[in-house]
């Protein structure tokens, strides 16, 4: 599917919020879609929300549970994904077991679309969140991961490629990187990620920190939005599972097969 907003709406009186939101959902799979054009308006501009909501107080069993978001292209947005663990206003069950794998987030740009420009924000104590093999293209933004609230148990952030930007991985009241990770992500697995422009001394060992120019040179054509890894890139076969870092383009919508087949 293609889910898209008309750019003309920005100059009209519509209340624009997001492209996809789950408030009460269990065992949902979202695969192979294109989601595009979302800006700050009625909400802060995240394209995708997994935000449990007991809106009128009569659904304390509401929960977002076991969701797979995979092989989607999300582009031209103010920010990427927002995940809420517990409803802010009424009792709910805890958001858990969210998998975000093999997606391309292209054109996260808070100068163009407003918002804060983060790839993913976690708040309110979700648990068991897996973020693996995503390609994150941020033109103007704040960072990769923003977190607030109680510690997030079972957090995995692996094999992703993106720009660190100003704050990389940052939590409320904590410093960038290790200080945030120790406080908000105990027992987490954060390895084999490319965080271009970041400082390696702020993060766990096993991650990569090229400069921004080196990052952009690893793709077939960064300026033409062809975000397949080029032949000869050191990020090929460099994942924890032996696959290329970033998203697999073998099954993404609207993409050609890579020159060298990528194992799935």
């Amino acid at each position: 599917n293609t889910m898209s907003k008309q750019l003309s709406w920005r100059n009209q009186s519509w209340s624009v919020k997001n492209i996809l939101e789950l408030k009460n959902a269990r065992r949902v799979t979202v695969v192979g879609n294109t989601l595009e054009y979302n800006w700050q308006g009625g909400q802060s501009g995240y394209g995708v929300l997994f935000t449990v909501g007991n809106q009128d107080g009569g659904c304390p069993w509401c929960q977002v549970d076991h969701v797979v978001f995979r092989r989607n292209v999300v582009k031209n947005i103010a920010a990427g994904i927002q995940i809420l663990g517990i409803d802010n206003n009424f009792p709910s069950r805890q958001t858990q077991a969210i998998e975000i794998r093999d997606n391309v987030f292209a054109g996260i740009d808070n100068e163009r679309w407003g918002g804060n420009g983060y790839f993913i924000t976690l708040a309110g104590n979700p648990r068991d969140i897996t973020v693996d093999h995503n390609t994150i293209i941020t033109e103007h933004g704040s960072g990769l991961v923003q977190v607030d609230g109680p510690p997030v148990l079972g957090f995995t952030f692996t094999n992703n490629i993106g720009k660190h930007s100003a704050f990389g991985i940052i939590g409320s009241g904590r410093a960038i990187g290790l200080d945030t990770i120790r406080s908000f992500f105990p027992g987490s697995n954060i390895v084999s990620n490319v965080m271009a422009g970041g400082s390696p001394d702020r993060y766990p060992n096993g991650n990569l920190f090229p400069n921004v120019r080196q990052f952009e040179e690893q793709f077939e054509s960064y300026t033409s939005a062809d975000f397949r890894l080029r032949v000869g890139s050191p990020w090929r076969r460099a994942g924890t599972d032996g696959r290329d870092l970033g998203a697999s383009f073998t099954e993404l919508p609207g993409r050609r097969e890579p020159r060298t087949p990528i194992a799935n």
Side-chain angles (χ1 to χ4, degrees):
N1 304 288
T2 296
M3 291 167 272
S4 178
K5 291 185 172 66
Q6 298 181 38
L7 292 179
S8 62
W9 293 352
R10 296 191 77 183
N11 300 317
Q12 300 173 9
S13 58
W14 300 107
S15 178
V16 168
K17 293 188 175 183
N18 53 71
I19 306 173
L20 173 69
E21 180 175 16
L22 300 180
K23 293 185 178 182
N24 182 27
R26 178 172 294 160
R27 302 195 184 282
V28 176
T29 301
V30 182
V31 176
N33 305 283
T34 296
L35 297 82
E36 60 182 1
Y37 298 117
N38 196 69
W39 50 89
Q40 184 177 22
Q43 292 178 346
S44 57
Y46 285 89
V48 178
L49 273 64
F50 301 136
T51 48
V52 60
N54 176 8
Q55 289 188 190
D56 299 315
C59 182
W61 57 85
C62 280
Q63 183 180 31
V64 179
D65 174 29
H66 282 85
V67 174
V68 176
F69 188 83
R70 189 176 186 189
R71 293 176 180 151
N72 302 288
V73 173
V74 187
K75 58 184 180 178
N76 298 318
I77 51 176
I81 296 181
Q82 186 175 41
I83 300 176
L84 177 66
I86 301 291
D87 190 326
N88 293 322
N89 299 309
F90 295 104
S92 75
R93 298 183 67 181
Q94 185 182 29
T95 297
Q96 63 179 3
I98 309 296
E99 296 184 15
I100 303 165
R101 297 183 188 270
D102 273 312
N103 305 284
V104 175
F105 288 77
I108 297 176
D109 191 330
N110 63 345
E111 287 189 9
R112 184 178 183 187
W113 306 111
N116 62 22
Y118 278 100
F119 163 54
I120 187 169
T121 289
L122 305 109
N125 195 216
R127 66 169 299 151
D128 299 325
I129 308 298
T130 299
V131 184
D132 181 56
H133 277 292
N134 298 282
T135 296
I136 305 147
I137 306 298
T138 306
E139 295 308 317
H140 303 96
S142 298
L144 292 167
V145 179
Q146 180 186 46
V147 59
D148 186 29
V152 177
L153 303 181
F155 182 68
T156 297
F157 192 82
T158 49
N159 304 310
N160 304 289
I161 56 177
K163 295 177 182 177
H164 182 276
S165 299
F167 299 107
I169 299 176
I170 185 74
S172 297
R174 295 292 178 177
I176 293 168
L178 288 171
D179 186 43
T180 288
I181 293 167
R182 291 171 184 140
S183 299
F184 286 98
F185 300 122
S188 59
N189 184 22
I190 301 175
V191 68
S192 292
N193 302 288
V194 172
M195 293 183 268
S199 299
D201 58 344
R202 288 180 172 267
Y203 288 91
N205 294 329
N207 294 288
L208 302 173
F209 300 88
N211 62 42
V212 170
R213 180 177 178 181
Q214 290 169 333
F215 172 82
E216 295 178 355
E217 290 174 344
Q218 298 310 308
F219 301 103
E220 287 281 1
S221 177
Y222 186 89
T223 56
S224 299
D226 185 348
F227 299 122
R228 296 171 301 159
L229 293 182
R230 64 174 176 80
V231 174
S233 170
W235 302 344
R236 283 187 174 259
R237 305 292 189 267
T240 57
D241 50 9
R243 290 173 47 200
D244 295 358
L245 298 181
S248 166
F249 283 82
T250 57
E251 296 185 42
L252 285 170
R255 296 290 180 178
R256 296 168 293 160
E257 289 290 325
R259 295 173 186 169
T260 303
I262 298 175
N264 288 308

